[in-house]
Structures are given as C-alpha cells and as structure tokens.
Amino acid sequence: SLKDMQDARSVTETLGMPYHIFHYENLFRDEVIEPFVACYERGETPNPCIECNRCFKFQHLYKEMEELGCDVLVTGHYAQVVFDEGKNLWQLRKAVDPAKDQSYVLYTLTQEQLAHTRFPLGGLTKERAREIAEENGFVNAKKHDSQDICFVPDGDYVSFMERFRKRAYPEGDFLDKEGNVMGRHKGYVHYTIGQRKGLGIAYSHPLYVIDIRPEDNTVILGTNEDLFHTRLTARNVNIISGEAFDAPRKVLAKIRYRHTEQPATAYMEGDRLIVEFDEPQRAITRGQAVVLYDGDEVLGGGVICQPCD
C-alpha cells in the first residue's frame, strides 16, 4: 500500500540508506495469485506465503540485490541463518521467539541463498524489535502485525477467487464415504480438510470434511477418526543441505504453520518425499507444506500430495 511505501521511505531516510521501489504487480499475479487460485480449484489448500517468499524475496529481490552490487539480502523474517563450520554448511534455524518463528515458510531456501541472506530479527523477541525501532524513531515502531493473506485482506478468499476468475463456483453434493448423498454444498472451494463448521447439515454425530473431489464437484464427509493418517507424500521437495535423504531419517515434521512438529521418519522415493509419523496426525491436507526439523534446524520440506494410512 502507499502507506507501507511511505513508512519504508521514512525508515531508510532515518538510516541514511538509498531507497528503491521494484514493481512486481504482474509477476505477483502470475506467480502467487494464479497458483493460489489453481490450488483451491484442485481441491487443495495453498500457503501463498511460501510461494511469495520463494519467488519474490529469494528470487526476484535476490536478483535485484546482485544487480545493485550488494553482498546480502536482509529481511524481517523471524528465523536464523547459521554457518556450521564442522559440516561446512549453512543452516536455517528457528527464531529465538517461538511465538513469531517463521522458519516453516522458508524451507525452500538453498545453500547459495542462505550464504547471502541475513535475518537480524531472528535473535530477538517481537517486543525487543519494537523497542529498538522506537529507540531509533522509526515511524513503524508500533505498526500492527500483518495478518492473513495480504491480497485477501477481508479473509473472503472465495469471493476474491470469483472476482479473479470472473465466474462463480457451482453447488454440488456432500457425500459420505459410501457415496450416499448427504446434502448440498455451496461450491467445493469453500471447504478444507478437517472443517466442521459451516456445513449446514444436521446429523446424529459431528461431521467433518475428509476429502474434496473437484473432478465430480463433491465434498466427502466423515467422522473425526477418518481424519487421522500416519503417512504422507510430498512433491516439489527441497533439502536445504543439498544432500538427498538416501536412507530413512528420524525427524520432526510439521504439516501446517500452526502445527506442533511431530516425530516421524522421512525418506525419498524418486522425486517424492515420504514422511511416516510415529503417531497418526489429524487433517493432513493436500497443498500445505510438510517441513522437516532436526531440533531447531530446518532440514527442508515439500508440498503435500496425499495423506495415507
């Protein structure tokens, strides 16, 4: 927004830094918004922040860094970059402030990118970062945190998609696992795996969305127990060290941004990542990322294709 640009200019002037604006509106539409909409249309649930970081912060902005003759790209992410001299590798680690940690959305980073990236806020709490900003007279010291999806500020992503596609998403059938019709849904893009509220169906026990099938415009309902799976596969895999998981490895795996990492075993089958959890996990969702950790270190991750029993 114009206010964001004015705030950024004010801070750079206070610091005596050059100020540049790069226009990526069309690229953002093609590389973030279009995949976001297409993901929902495939019956998946996207995380556009991951794609935004991958495409814009660490590809386009990274290129601008090089063309400006700068040595490093510095961003306000709450995460840490550490060089492990023993392994001769750069590592991505969690932030000191667990409530603000953003390492989950940065799993696509590579060794080359980490070598030229710094996250100075990763070693601070949000409160301390604000104190430093206020001590230096920055106009954004008390600015509200960003919330939700930046290009859907009202949270109504379906209305946004309908405006973007210039069409409505048709109603269809709710089905049970046996294929029996249980009611009508208002368009499958309105739903995500694990959803209970807003189904509009009265039944003898609670119902949850357990599958979404765009091919026949149906949403499958079941019990809470139907949502638990022990295994998943993931595509578009990035391992930060650059080393493949040739043998099964014990890890901690996180299947969504607000999920607590869980013990699991991870390995590769061809170009797919397989993650087998020690205990069944609820609502493993296609389109979300699975991110692997070893303690505070981010090992890598991928986009979830399918949960399996």
Side-chain angles (χ1 to χ4, degrees):
S1 70
L2 179 61
K3 179 65 165 60
D4 290 329
M5 289 190 287
Q6 291 171 339
D7 289 349
R9 183 186 290 276
S10 172
V11 171
T12 58
E13 288 176 350
T14 302
L15 291 170
M17 294 171 58
Y19 178 75
H20 305 271
I21 294 175
F22 304 112
H23 289 279
Y24 293 137
E25 293 91 339
N26 292 335
L27 282 171
F28 189 82
R29 176 188 175 93
D30 294 343
E31 297 181 9
V32 177
I33 297 178
E34 172 62 37
F36 169 85
V37 174
C39 189
Y40 271 115
E41 291 176 337
R42 291 194 302 271
E44 301 179 346
T45 303
N47 188 320
C49 296
I50 291 173
E51 282 303 293
C52 183
N53 280 306
R54 185 180 69 83
C55 293
F56 286 89
K57 303 287 198 316
F58 300 103
Q59 286 186 15
H60 300 308
L61 195 59
Y62 190 91
K63 183 179 178 182
E64 301 287 1
M65 172 201 78
E66 294 177 318
E67 292 183 356
L68 286 169
C70 297
D71 298 315
V72 295
L73 177 66
V74 182
T75 79
H77 288 96
Y78 279 83
Q80 299 185 88
V81 178
V82 176
F83 184 70
D84 187 319
E85 295 185 359
K87 296 179 180 178
N88 195 34
L89 288 171
W90 290 92
Q91 295 179 344
L92 173 65
R93 295 185 184 174
K94 292 181 184 179
V96 166
D97 187 346
K100 293 297 179 182
D101 176 56
Q102 294 175 301
S103 60
Y104 174 85
V105 299
L106 298 170
Y107 78 88
T108 62
L109 287 170
T110 65
Q111 286 293 299
E112 174 67 20
Q113 291 165 336
L114 285 173
H116 297 280
T117 299
R118 300 293 181 269
F119 300 134
L121 298 189
L124 304 174
T125 63
K126 186 62 175 269
E127 290 73 20
R128 181 55 187 146
R130 288 192 184 279
E131 287 173 1
I132 293 171
E134 195 161 10
E135 289 165 4
N136 285 273
F138 298 159
V139 296
N140 59 348
K142 296 182 179 179
K143 194 169 186 173
H144 293 303
D145 291 352
S146 58
Q147 299 291 331
D148 300 318
I149 302 168
C150 66
F151 54 90
V152 191
D154 63 357
D156 188 352
Y157 69 89
V158 176
S159 293
F160 172 84
M161 290 169 58
E162 291 176 335
R163 293 192 299 272
F164 185 79
R165 288 288 193 233
K166 296 182 173 59
R167 69 177 181 88
Y169 293 92
E171 295 181 355
D173 288 330
F174 282 122
L175 304 179
D176 64 16
K177 291 184 294 182
E178 287 70 40
N180 300 306
V181 176
M182 304 185 73
R184 296 285 287 175
H185 66 68
K186 55 187 178 181
Y188 70 84
V189 296
H190 287 266
Y191 307 93
T192 190
I193 301 300
Q195 182 173 336
R196 176 184 175 185
K197 295 182 178 179
L199 302 181
I201 295 179
Y203 204 66
S204 58
H205 58 75
L207 294 172
Y208 300 82
V209 175
I210 63 171
D211 197 9
I212 298 167
R213 298 178 182 170
E215 60 271 18
D216 59 4
N217 190 25
T218 58
V219 176
I220 314 304
L221 303 181
T223 66
N224 188 55
E225 289 71 24
D226 293 324
L227 290 167
F228 285 83
H229 300 277
T230 56
R231 189 173 185 265
L232 64 80
T233 61
R235 64 182 187 268
N236 301 344
V237 179
N238 179 60
I239 304 301
I240 291 175
S241 67
E243 303 168 351
F245 281 24
D246 295 327
R249 175 170 178 174
K250 295 297 294 183
V251 297
L252 294 173
K254 187 171 184 173
I255 57 173
R256 63 182 65 87
Y257 186 67
R258 295 298 180 190
H259 181 246
T260 301
E261 307 97 86
Q262 298 295 317
T265 300
Y267 56 93
M268 298 295 295
E269 283 187 355
D271 63 350
R272 296 295 170 102
L273 175 67
I274 310 298
V275 180
E276 298 178 348
F277 291 93
D278 292 4
E279 300 289 339
Q281 299 300 304
R282 186 182 185 279
I284 298 174
T285 303
R286 296 192 303 271
Q288 292 287 288
V290 57
V291 178
L292 309 180
Y293 291 81
D294 181 358
D296 286 344
E297 180 187 357
V298 182
L299 302 175
V303 179
I304 298 171
C305 301
Q306 190 67 44
C308 308
D309 292 323

